[in-house]
C-alpha cells in the first residue's frame, strides 16, 4: 500500500472545463468544480482557466473545501523563442504556485506543438528536434529548474505529451539524460505514454527515482486506434473519448502503483482525464476514480 502520509491525491479541473476546448463544460463553474472535487474525496487540484488568480480569493475558496493547489501547467518555448521570454513568464507562474503552497510546476515544451490544432493529425507532422534544439531545450530546463528550486522551493517536473517535441520513450530518455536531476524531474503521465504506444510500466520503472508528480490517466484503445486510422487531431480525439479515468481503459495500474510504492514515492498522484463532461459526468467519474485508487492503493 502507498503511504498515506507521503502520497496525496488530486484531480485536474479539465474533467469539468477544458481550457483547450472551451465549449466542453462551459456551463460548469469554478465553485461547482472544486466543490465536486472535494465531494469525491480529493484534496489537491491543478489550475484551470476559470480559477481566480487572486491568491487570497482562491485560497479562501479552496480552504473552505479542504483542497489545495498542487501544480499548474506552464508552456515553455525554449527552442523557438529567446530564453528570457520564457523565464519571465515562468517566474511569475512559479511565484503564484509557491504562494499557493504548491511544491511542483508542470512544464511542457510547446514550440511547434500540434496538440492545440483542430485539423492536424496527432500521429503526423510532429516536429523532430535537431541537436541545436535539444541543447536549447535541456539547457533551458536546467536554468528554469534551478531558478524555481533555489528561489521558490518549487520543483520543475517535465510533462511529456502527445503532439509535442518530447512524446516518445526515446525523446524522454534524451531529455532526462541531458538535464540535471537536481533541477529537472519527470511528470509521469500513464495516459500519454500509452497513447503513443509506449509501455507506461517500463517508463515508471526506469524513471521512478526522478518522478515528482504523477498523472493517472487511462486511454480507450479503440478510440486511439480510430484517431490513428482516421487521421484525427489530438483535440478531436479528446472529444471522441480517447482519455478516461484510471480503471476505465486499457492501462494496467497495478504494476505502476507497485513500482511507486516500492520506491517510497512522495508527492501527488492526480487524476487527469479530459473528456466531454456532457458524456462523462465529472462528479460521477471523479467518484469512480477515487474508489478505484482506494481499492488498488489503500489511499
Amino acid at each position: 500500500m502507498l503511504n498515506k502520509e507521503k502520497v496525496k491525491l488530486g484531480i485536474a479541473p479539465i474533467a469539468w472545463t477544458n481550457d483547450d476546448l472551451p465549449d466542453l463544460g462551459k456551463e460548469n463553474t469554478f465553485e461547482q468544480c472544486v466543490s465536486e472535487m472535494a465531494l469525491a474525496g480529493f484534496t489537491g487540484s491543478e489550475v484551470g482557466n476559470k480559477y481566480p488568480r487572486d491568491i487570497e480569493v482562491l485560497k479562501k475558496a479552496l480552504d473552505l473545501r479542504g483542497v489545495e493547489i498542487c501544480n499548474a501547467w506552464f508552456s515553455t518555448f525554449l527552442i523557438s523563442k529567446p530564453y528570457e521570454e520564457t523565464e519571465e513568464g515562468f517566474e511569475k507562474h512559479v511565484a503564484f504556485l509557491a504562494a499557493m503552497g504548491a511544491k511542483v510546476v508542470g512544464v511542457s515544451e510547446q514550440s511547434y506543438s500540434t496538440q492545440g490544432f483542430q485539423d492536424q493529425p496527432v500521429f503526423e507532422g510532429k516536429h523532430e528536434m535537431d541537436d541545436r534544439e535539444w541543447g536549447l531545450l535541456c539547457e533551458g530546463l536546467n536554468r528554469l529548474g534551478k531558478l524555481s528550486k533555489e528561489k521558490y522551493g518549487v520543483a520543475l517536473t517535465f510533462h511529456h505529451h502527445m503532439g509535442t517535441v518530447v512524446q516518445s520513450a526515446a525523446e524522454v530518455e534524451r531529455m532526462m539524460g541531458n538535464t540535471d536531476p537536481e533541477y529537472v524531474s519527470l511528470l509521469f503521465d500513464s495516459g500519454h505514454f500509452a497513447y503513443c504506444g509506449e509501455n507506461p510500466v517500463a517508463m515508471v520503472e526506469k524513471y521512478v527515482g526522478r518522478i515528482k508528480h504523477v498523472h493517472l490517466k487511462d486511454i480507450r484503445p479503440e478510440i486511439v486506434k480510430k484517431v490513428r486510422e482516421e487521421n484525427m487531431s489530438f483535440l478531436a480525439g479528446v472529444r471522441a473519448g480517447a482519455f478516461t479515468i484510471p480503471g476505465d481503459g486499457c492501462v494496467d495500474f497495478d504494476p505502476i502503483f507497485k513500482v511507486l510504492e516500492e520506491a517510497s514515492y512522495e508527492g501527488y498522484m492526480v487524476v487527469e482525464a479530459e473528456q466531454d463532461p456532457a458524456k462523462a459526468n465529472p462528479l460521477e467519474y471523479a467518484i469512480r476514480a477515487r474508489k478505484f485508487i482506494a481499492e488498488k492503493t489503500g489511499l
Side-chain angles (χ1 to χ4, degrees), residues 7-278:
V7 182
K8 296 181 179 181
L9 296 179
I11 192 165
I14 201 166
W16 283 263
T17 55
N18 193 307
D19 294 346
D20 297 317
L21 295 164
D23 62 299
L24 294 189
K26 63 182 184 297
E27 69 283 359
N28 294 329
T29 65
F30 159 72
E31 290 81 6
Q32 176 190 344
C33 173
V34 291
S35 294
E36 292 186 353
M37 287 175 173
L39 189 59
F42 292 93
T43 59
S45 171
E46 297 192 347
V47 179
N49 279 352
K50 290 186 179 180
Y51 281 41
R53 285 295 169 154
D54 182 297
I55 289 167
E56 294 311 312
V57 171
L58 181 55
K59 267 190 175 167
K60 182 177 180 182
L62 295 176
D63 286 348
L64 284 170
R65 296 162 173 88
V67 175
E68 65 179 0
I69 296 301
C70 61
N71 172 42
W73 171 287
F74 184 79
S75 298
T76 58
F77 294 89
L78 294 167
I79 69 172
S80 61
K81 295 181 180 178
Y83 169 81
E84 290 72 22
E85 285 186 32
T86 289
E87 186 187 81
E88 183 181 359
F90 177 77
E91 182 161 7
K92 289 177 185 171
H93 185 79
V94 171
F96 165 77
L97 282 175
M100 291 303 302
K103 298 290 186 280
V104 305
V105 56
V107 164
S108 178
E109 176 63 22
Q110 288 296 296
S111 298
Y112 315 117
S113 171
T114 64
Q115 73 181 66
F117 297 143
Q118 302 268 11
D119 55 355
Q120 171 63 50
V122 70
F123 285 106
E124 294 177 8
K126 194 178 90 65
H127 181 79
E128 303 292 338
M129 287 187 284
D130 59 26
D131 290 346
R132 182 189 67 86
E133 290 169 325
W134 272 109
L136 288 171
L137 175 66
C138 294
E139 180 191 346
L141 290 173
N142 282 336
R143 291 176 69 181
L144 293 175
K146 189 172 193 289
L147 169 68
S148 61
K149 179 180 180 178
E150 295 184 352
K151 192 168 180 180
Y152 297 98
V154 173
L156 184 153
T157 65
F158 189 89
H159 190 347
H160 57 97
H161 198 287
M162 288 298 297
T164 71
V165 291
V166 182
Q167 168 183 299
S168 69
E171 288 160 346
V172 170
E173 181 173 5
R174 184 163 179 180
M175 184 276 297
M176 296 290 275
N178 288 280
T179 50
D180 188 340
E182 186 74 20
Y183 301 124
V184 180
S185 300
L186 185 66
L187 189 164
F188 169 81
D189 190 303
S190 54
H192 280 282
F193 275 133
Y195 200 121
C196 71
E198 305 292 2
N199 181 349
V201 178
M203 295 297 97
V204 75
E205 286 174 344
K206 186 166 190 173
Y207 299 114
V208 69
R210 283 179 72 182
I211 293 171
K212 287 199 174 170
H213 200 62
V214 172
H215 277 174
L216 299 176
K217 183 187 297 207
D218 214 334
I219 63 165
R220 295 184 175 98
E222 69 279 7
I223 305 294
V224 173
K225 184 169 181 278
K226 177 182 166 78
V227 170
R228 185 187 288 276
E229 290 177 351
E230 298 184 14
N231 297 321
M232 294 166 67
S233 69
F234 177 76
L235 294 178
V238 169
R239 284 189 189 276
F243 293 119
T244 186
I245 54 169
D248 191 45
C250 69
V251 174
D252 184 2
F253 283 91
D254 286 341
I256 293 173
F257 290 139
K258 187 168 186 286
V259 171
L260 293 170
E261 177 193 345
E262 289 176 351
S264 300
Y265 173 76
E266 292 186 38
Y268 262 96
M269 298 196 305
V270 177
V271 174
E272 192 211 28
E274 55 265 50
Q275 301 187 73
D276 181 348

